[in-house]
């Protein structure tokens, strides 16, 4: 397997072929299908995660409290995106984007099959594998989409990212329906095994279609020399040894709890973006124009972090609400709670072409990227105002209609389409050439930062995080921040320079 993987990645590129995919470079089809299957595996696992953690031991679950399970979910999701940054570094310094994606896909596949083993230790080891593999894959596959369009102001660029985004959501839509149903109604671990099969299909698709990718995707932009490799290996081994010793002492003295993992990871998820931005801004090899664009990008990062803090609660807070306070029957049809997580990708697939066509039709009248981001933040805030009302309607033992969550997911989808695909695009536009993959990793660190804030709030507040007050505070803060971003947008636009 290793030799065939190397041969597939080293094969000559034929990216100049005249074939196209919906008016876009042919390589977009390869990346579209690879991401579809990878997201099928990830969102299938995610649809089951909190439900499995909170299910009673007699029902095959781990019997955790909702607040603890929610914090684990938030920290785990944050870690997946946190590792996108070193994943970008591996591509920039060691393997190049193409090889890094292939290796990441193989690790993800192994992780899902470890979840399928009905042993608690194997389950958590599998989560680590998926997080590491996702970190290697996520930032680099998005970078390769951008590399299909050498001209950064190519009018097809935003549309290409939107089509790619449809692939993400196709996998995310099918996953809860297939994996969620099997996991909840047949066997939890069989559901996790299906996620592994999905990743295997995605990896096969990627290796078959590498010839259609841009030649630059196999290039290592700034490779490490031998001395740098030796120094980094030494540092990595020292940090690993320190972690093993520390957690060994905590465990053998009987003080270990899940908080010894959740708190350090949550704080790390906030510290790392700060460090990376500081390091990039201080790089003397960057021109003043590149540094100014990075400064402008920080504003987009902060807005995105607040957006993802709310948005990513679909797999935790909203899943608990669906399980405890929402009827799973509509118009005489019963369905598992995991199906609610198919609503958002369904809405994305329905509305993404509309948004893509709208951006193209508006042309020069297109709202600026800053305004689109503000719309996204306002929309996500409005969705939690609706959740506040839904939580109020679910007082006592009342089970509210599923239409409440349907409305919430619809509002969140329109907000997402204003911010997320545009965020991928603006990241590739503002990134210095030296940090192309690492800047895409920074974009995913916005998800990490948002999820870490959510995790800290859940650890501190506990079950109060599911209250009307919590939904109201988060919603109105996002609304106010979105309005402020519109007011100050001209300052950010000046920092973006020639990027529009």
């Amino acid at each position: 397997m290793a030799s065939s993987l190397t041969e597939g990645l080293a094969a000559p590129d034929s990216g100049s072929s005249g074939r196209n995919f919906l008016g876009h470079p042919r390589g977009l089809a390869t990346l579209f299908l690879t991401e579809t299957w990878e997201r099928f595996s990830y969102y299938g696992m995610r649809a089951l995660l909190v439900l499995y953690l909170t299910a009673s031991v007699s029902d095959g679950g781990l019997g955790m409290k909702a607040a603890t399970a929610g914090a684990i979910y938030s920290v785990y999701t944050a870690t997946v995106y946190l590792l996108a940054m070193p994943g970008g570094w591996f591509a920039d310094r060691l393997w190049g984007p193409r090889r890094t994606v292939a290796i990441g896909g193989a690790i993800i596949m192994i992780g899902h099959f470890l979840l399928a083993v009905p042993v608690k230790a194997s389950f958590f080891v599998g989560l680590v594998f998926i997080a590491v593999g996702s970190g290697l894959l996520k930032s680099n596959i998005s970078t390769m989409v951008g590399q299909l369009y050498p001209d950064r102001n190519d009018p097809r660029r935003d549309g290409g990212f939107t089509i790619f985004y449809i692939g993400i959501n196709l996998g995310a839509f099918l996953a809860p329906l297939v994996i969620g149903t099997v996991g909840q109604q047949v066997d939890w671990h069989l559901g996790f095994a299906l996620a592994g099969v999905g990743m295997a299909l995605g990896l096969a698709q990627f290796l078959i279609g590498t010839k259609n990718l841009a030649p630059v995707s196999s290039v290592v932009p700034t490779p490490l020399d031998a001395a740098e490799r030796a120094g980094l290996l030494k540092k990595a081994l020292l940090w690993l040894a320190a972690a093993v010793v520390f957690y060994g002492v905590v465990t053998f003295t009987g003080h270990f709890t899940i908080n010894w993992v959740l708190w350090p990871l949550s704080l790390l998820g906030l510290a790392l973006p700060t460090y990376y931005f500081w390091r990039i801004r201080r790089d003397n090899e960057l021109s003043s124009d590149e540094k100014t664009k990075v400064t402008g990008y920080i504003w987009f990062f902060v807005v995105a972090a607040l957006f993802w803090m709310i948005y990513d609660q679909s797999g935790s807070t909203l899943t608990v609400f669906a399980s405890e306070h929402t009827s799973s029957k509509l118009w005489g049809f019963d369905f598992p709670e995991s199906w609610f997580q198919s609503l958002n990708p369904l809405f994305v697939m329905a509305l993404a072409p509309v948004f893509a066509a709208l951006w193209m039709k508006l042309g020069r009248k297109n709202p600026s990227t800053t305004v689109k981001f503000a719309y996204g933040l306002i929309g996500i805030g409005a969705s939690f105002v609706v959740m506040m009302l839904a939580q109020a309607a679910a007082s006592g033992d009342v089970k509210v209609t599923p239409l409440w969550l349907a409305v919430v997911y619809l509002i969140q989808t329109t907000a997402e389409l204003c911010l997320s695909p545009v965020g991928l695009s603006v990241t590739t536009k503002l990134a210095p050439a030296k940090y192309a993959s690492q800047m895409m990793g920074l974009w995913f660190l916005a998800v990490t930062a948002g999820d870490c804030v959510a995790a800290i709030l859940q650890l501190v507040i506990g079950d109060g995080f599911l209250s009307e007050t919590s939904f109201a505070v988060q919603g109105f803060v996002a609304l106010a921040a979105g309005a402020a971003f519109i007011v100050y947008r001209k300052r950010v636009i000046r920092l973006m320079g020639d990027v529009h």
Side-chain angles (χ1 to χ4, degrees):
M1 180 65 178
S3 61
S4 63
L5 174 64
T6 303
E7 290 167 4
L9 293 176
D13 232 283
S14 58
S16 59
S17 137
R19 295 175 297 169
N20 63 71
F21 174 64
L22 302 177
H24 292 266
R26 184 70 178 176
L28 185 61
T30 295
L31 301 176
F32 172 93
L33 292 171
T34 302
E35 186 72 347
T36 296
W37 283 114
E38 187 273 330
R39 292 290 85 183
F40 175 85
S41 70
Y42 177 76
Y43 280 98
M45 178 278 295
R46 197 183 87 154
L48 294 177
L49 183 56
V50 169
L51 295 171
Y52 172 70
L53 292 175
T54 56
S56 65
V57 176
S58 60
D59 289 332
L62 298 185
M64 292 184 177
K65 293 182 179 179
T68 302
I72 290 173
Y73 169 87
S74 294
V75 169
Y76 178 70
T77 306
T79 303
V80 168
Y81 289 93
L82 173 67
L83 292 173
M85 191 66 197
W89 181 89
F90 271 89
D92 284 343
R93 306 302 307 275
L94 287 174
W95 298 326
R98 192 183 302 188
R99 191 184 301 272
T100 304
V101 165
I103 293 171
I107 295 173
I108 293 170
M109 179 182 66
I110 294 169
H112 284 299
F113 286 126
L114 286 172
L115 298 187
V117 178
V119 176
K120 188 174 181 179
S122 176
F123 179 82
F124 285 104
V125 171
L127 289 179
V128 173
F129 269 70
I130 296 169
V132 171
S134 297
L136 293 172
L137 184 145
K138 283 197 68 64
S139 61
N140 294 297
I141 197 167
S142 299
T143 296
M144 286 192 290
V145 174
Q147 289 171 339
L148 295 172
Y149 308 92
D151 180 359
R152 294 192 177 192
N153 289 314
D154 188 328
R156 300 177 301 166
R157 194 181 185 91
D158 281 4
F161 273 102
T162 300
I163 292 172
F164 177 71
Y165 212 66
I166 293 173
I168 293 174
N169 286 279
L170 178 61
F173 167 70
L174 294 173
L177 302 181
V178 178
I179 296 172
T181 301
V182 171
Q184 283 192 268
Q185 299 187 348
V186 181
D187 182 83
W188 295 109
H189 298 285
L190 180 58
F192 293 131
L194 284 177
V197 172
M199 189 63 248
L201 292 171
L203 181 59
Q205 162 64 36
F206 181 77
L207 295 176
I208 291 169
T210 52
K211 64 182 181 295
N212 296 314
L213 302 177
V216 69
S217 67
S218 61
V219 174
V220 182
T222 53
L224 292 172
D225 58 34
E228 288 176 315
R229 285 173 182 259
L232 285 170
L233 179 61
K234 182 179 179 180
K235 289 180 181 178
L237 290 174
L238 286 173
W239 279 105
L240 177 61
V244 169
V245 170
F246 176 79
Y247 279 102
V249 172
V250 172
T251 300
F252 286 115
T253 56
H255 292 91
F256 181 81
T257 66
I258 193 65
N259 284 350
W260 279 100
V261 176
L262 299 180
W263 274 104
L265 287 176
S266 297
L267 296 174
L268 182 65
L270 296 176
L272 271 184
T274 304
Y275 164 74
Y276 275 117
F277 276 120
W278 173 81
R279 195 191 71 178
I280 292 173
R281 284 283 291 116
R282 287 178 59 87
D283 189 336
N284 292 328
E285 294 183 12
L286 300 185
S287 67
S288 59
D289 178 64
E290 287 177 316
K291 289 183 178 182
T292 299
K293 288 177 179 176
V294 171
T295 301
Y297 184 72
I298 292 174
W299 289 96
F300 292 106
F301 181 92
V302 172
V303 170
L306 183 54
F307 174 90
W308 295 117
M309 181 193 77
I310 295 175
Y311 177 90
D312 251 6
Q313 292 178 45
S314 61
S316 56
T317 304
L318 299 191
T319 295
V320 172
F321 183 84
S323 178
E324 297 182 354
H325 302 296
T326 306
S327 171
S328 58
K329 186 174 183 178
L330 184 64
W331 302 316
F333 179 72
D334 289 304
F335 53 91
E337 295 91 342
S338 56
W339 282 24
F340 280 107
Q341 293 190 53
S342 285
L343 285 175
N344 170 258
L346 175 63
F347 290 144
V348 168
M349 288 186 293
L351 296 176
V354 176
F355 274 73
L358 177 62
W359 302 147
M360 291 290 288
K361 185 176 179 61
L362 287 174
R364 293 186 178 277
K365 295 181 180 179
N366 223 324
S368 68
T369 303
T370 52
V371 171
K372 290 177 183 177
F373 262 63
Y375 287 164
L377 197 51
I378 290 170
I380 205 70
S383 76
F384 259 39
V385 173
V386 174
M387 274 304 302
M388 173 193 69
L389 301 175
Q391 184 67 61
S395 58
D397 296 326
V398 174
K399 292 268 190 177
V400 300
T401 173
L403 296 178
W404 276 108
L405 282 177
V407 171
V408 170
Y409 281 120
L410 178 60
I411 296 172
Q412 289 191 349
T413 300
T414 58
E416 176 188 3
L417 289 171
C418 287
L419 182 144
S420 191
V422 178
L424 289 170
S425 182
V426 77
T427 299
T428 61
K429 292 177 181 178
L430 293 177
K434 181 179 177 180
Y435 293 100
S437 289
Q438 291 183 65
M439 281 289 284
M440 188 58 71
L442 263 175
W443 166 249
F444 292 119
L445 279 186
V447 183
T448 294
D451 284 343
C452 285
V453 172
I456 290 171
L457 291 174
Q458 288 176 86
L459 289 170
V460 173
I461 300 173
D463 291 338
F465 197 66
L466 298 169
S467 67
E468 296 171 44
T469 302
S470 176
F471 288 130
V473 169
Q474 293 179 75
F476 285 116
V477 166
L479 287 171
F485 200 56
I486 289 178
V487 171
Y488 290 100
R489 68 187 184 281
K490 291 183 179 179
R491 297 184 183 181
V492 179
I493 291 172
R494 283 196 294 269
L495 294 171
M496 294 170 67
D498 60 348
V499 173
H500 304 292

